[in-house]
Amino acid sequence: MSGLIGRAHALAAAERALDQLAAGRGGLLLISGEAGIGKSALAAEIGLAASRRGALVATGACTDTEGTPGRWPWVQVVRRLARIADTAEWQAATAAAGDALDPLLGEHSAADSGGDASFRLHDALTTVLVTVAARRPIVVVLEDLHHADVASLQMLDFLTRHAWFEPVLAVGTYRDTELEAAAHPARPRLLPLLGRATQLRLTGLDHDGVRELLARAGRALDHAAVARVVQRTGGNPFFVEQTALLDGALRDGPPTAGVRDVVERRLEVLAAAAPQAVPALEAAAVAGHTFDPEALRPVAELDAAAVEEALAAAEAASLVVRRDGRCAFVHDIVREHLYGRLPAACRQELHAALVGVLSGRPGTSAATLARHARLAVPALPPARVVPVLVAAARDAAARLAAEEAVRHLRDALALLATEPAAAGRDVEVEVRLELAAQLDRAGDITGARETALGVLNGADRPELRARAALQVHRLGDPGGPGHDEIAMLDAVLPDVEDGPLRARVLAAASMARTHHAVDHPRALELGRQAVDVARASGDPDALGWSLLARHDGRWEPGTAAERLELLDELAALARGRGARELEGLAAFLRFLALLERGDPGAFDAFATFRALTERTRLPRHRYLVASREATTALLTGDLDRAADLVDAARDLGARFGEADSAPMWRDQAWALHTLRGDHDAALEVARTAVPGHPFNPVLEGLTAAAAGDADRALSRLDDVERLIAGVHRRFRWMHVVYLCEVAAATGDPALAERARAAAVPVRDGWAVLSGGSAVWGPVSYWLGRVDVATGRRDDAVAGLTAAVRSARRLHARPWAQRAQDALAALGAGERDRPAAEFRRDDDVWTLTFAGRTAHVPDAKGLRDIATLLAVPHTDVPAVDLLHGTEARRPRTTGADPMIDDAARRAYLRRLTALDGEIDAALDRGDDRRAARLDAERAALLDELRRAAGLGGRTRRLGDERERARQTVTARIRDSIRRLRAVHPELAAHLAEAVHTGRVCAYRPTEPVAWRR
């Protein structure tokens, strides 16, 4: 990079950033300085240099033109990336990002994701960039960040935080002189980025630089003349170039006040040459930085020939440029000066004229119309402007640009305040309702609630009050009593006519009672009415809400079959509408219902939920996936993996701001310690993980009973029963288990009868605690324990035998083992012998299945299979199989020292060579050599990770996942192929039951008890 004058230091810093990018690490490069100083030129030079190195360069520009759509620079970046990435790159990136990317592709989003929308969008953008960068580095150039909207700066902040160790370099330019004002809207968001950025502040050129720039412009001047130019322009390159175009300006006259004087003198020269040019440019300045020449004719009141003559003269004077049928000012300084010299009334008339012209032109954005309409007041009356602003807000909402929608709606309310009679009271209320919804999506929950309550207390029409009540219900009030919410909904319900709105109010009134544990029969009746009204109305959204209310009302032990019917209808409804968020929720609830029935289909329902979540990328659903992965690991007895997953889910929940993450971690950590028999650790978690939480006594009492402290467990029973009576009925599984555990611990006959009364109606079910935080055994096991304690041996044997069978069917090894141990204590038959064996002794495997035994030499593929057999129906990432559990790296918070670039390149060359050697070894069937090479590759990767300070995180995760998929799939298939010659029955079983890919799993159609 050497084409810029006087920028050697900045160019050297940029070269270092590009070297770092080539080595696999991006970052943030911020270029600052006053207008015209050369920020854009430097950014363009960096982009060209990056392109020459093979990087993809995507650019976007912010603008101060009011009404520009939210996140506009990122829309430009994504559109550019879609054009320049090859098909495979773009398909992989968009598949990884899922539907959440749609708003940045200029498409409206059908999903209503509330406060999650911004996070999903940020995460989708980062995913796209990181996925593409796994093949080629990316440079993102964002111009004029001082003009950026808040949402765009939030997106940049998210990207730089989450892709710091990926080959994605963000380059931004901004005017630091403007950010000096404390009230500048971009200041609070942009200043914190400076601490993470490499900063390049550009200043004016020195004497030699100005002389060289003038020479390039064809003006060779002596030392004194150059000194005068330096004095007048401060060495600002744009000022220097504009001054060079003015005859006489380089030789005589006093120093000017700056660029405005230069631009004004240029306009005087232009007006003398083409009298119509300046009025045409003034109209263009009102239109924006870029403008359509066709729109100037009616606005400037000029014919086509006059407009063409004016633009030709302006182009010849280097004030505008033409691109693809449109025109643009050479610099915003020119447009700003033209706009500022117009009288206010003239500007308003021109904006009004543009509204008239652009309203009938296809492709004009709603945001552009809103900008001109608002700035046209009072030339346009508020009654005409408010509908334009509301339309722009709805368009922004459809693009998930909530902050932009809020701005339009607040502008509309400000205009309505000046002329209350202009549009009517109902219009103002409608605007406020929409504002409440958009404030919610923008993350301002308090503002949204206050706005909705204002409508509720001030609206006259029942429909509007009902809609406001639904908003308040949706937003919730964690500190308020449930009776207030119920009374609010009951108050609006009588005046709402039958139809979709009434169905939704009925559903909300049902849910409020259900979740606050108030008048359950009435909650059920309201839910039933909601479904009936929604069906009659034919409105799918109302029916979806109503089915959820009906489901939640029936969610308690023993209702899984009924809930599954509701969920099947809800899932079909969601699929028909393409509502993946609702479909995902239905799949998640189906997973829990099937677990309650002890049905292995629960694992398939969970896989469906996970697949949908990978598409929607909803933070709440991603947390549910992570935390319930831990649930399934606890259920199947993979306790080491569960320990990792429990902590990972907590960390993800903290990152997403998930309110339930701390109680969920407590429940799962308690379950983990209890299953391991460490009652002291379980009690410590129950007491201290979430101080003061109402469910702590439940876990403390269960721990005491399991540890043999019957008196302590019994002393908590009254507290537990009062708690369960005041919460959602789905928590009654805890009551069933607690009663059984205390009855078994005390042997008290009265307690035993109470426990049987609670458990017998659901004896075929499984206790699913707290929405799936843990699955605490088959109820038949707990009944068996109670029968043992009260001397009912035959009933105990029958119950515990049923528990063993149910646990095996669900692959729940800890609970099968507990039931077997209880049977053994009764002397009820032998402990079940394993039906099959998959065991390694040194370098030889003993494999028994279907009555045949074979002995085969060790191979990596056999080790992978053994890992999968240990956790049936559980997805195991291929990356974990590739590295082995012993190679899992702990999370750290600091970075170790960096290795130099030469060493890094040597590591990367060796890794590339190893990939080829491993593939060749696998093709030859040489598993031992492949394993040795793979161990070397893993060690190299670990060294690189430590050098980058990644805390165990893979820099090129996409690359490693794909390599892991290929390697693990190849070696598992090779091992199964070899088994066909020595153990065809086992080979056939594994070929059917073992599934490979980026995640692998063992999914037998019938349970198999393996001895390892």
Side-chain angles (χ1 to χ4, degrees), residues 631-665:
T631 299
T632 59
L634 289 166
L635 175 64
T636 58
D638 188 358
L639 301 187
D640 289 340
R641 181 167 176 264
D644 291 340
L645 291 172
V646 168
D647 287 346
R650 176 192 56 189
D651 295 346
L652 187 68
R655 173 182 161 196
F656 290 165
E658 176 60 47
D660 293 337
S661 62
M664 179 63 62
W665 181 87

Side-chain angles (χ1 to χ4, degrees), residues 379-398:
L380 281 182
R384 284 191 58 192
V385 175
V386 168
V388 177
L389 292 170
V390 172
R394 288 171 180 163
D395 177 78

Side-chain angles (χ1 to χ4, degrees), residues 426-517:
D426 285 352
V427 171
E428 179 187 347
V429 172
E430 292 274 5
V431 173
R432 290 190 183 280
L433 280 172
E434 186 62 31
L435 177 61
Q438 296 307 317
L439 285 169
D440 175 24
R441 295 184 183 109
D444 185 358
I445 306 300
T446 300
R449 182 174 175 79
E450 290 174 352
T451 302
L453 283 171
V455 172
L456 179 66
N457 295 327
D460 298 323
R461 285 173 48 200
E463 175 198 349
L464 297 175
R465 295 184 67 244
R467 288 169 56 194
L470 287 173
Q471 285 273 16
V472 175
H473 166 71
R474 169 184 167 81
L475 293 164
D477 184 11
H483 289 278
D484 288 353
E485 184 181 354
I486 294 169
M488 172 192 71
L489 292 164
D490 286 352
V492 302
L493 183 58
D495 298 324
V496 182
E497 297 179 355
D498 278 352
L501 181 60
R502 182 174 179 81
R504 292 186 66 161
V505 176
L506 285 165
S510 173
M511 281 189 172
R513 285 171 168 81
T514 295
H515 290 280
H516 291 294

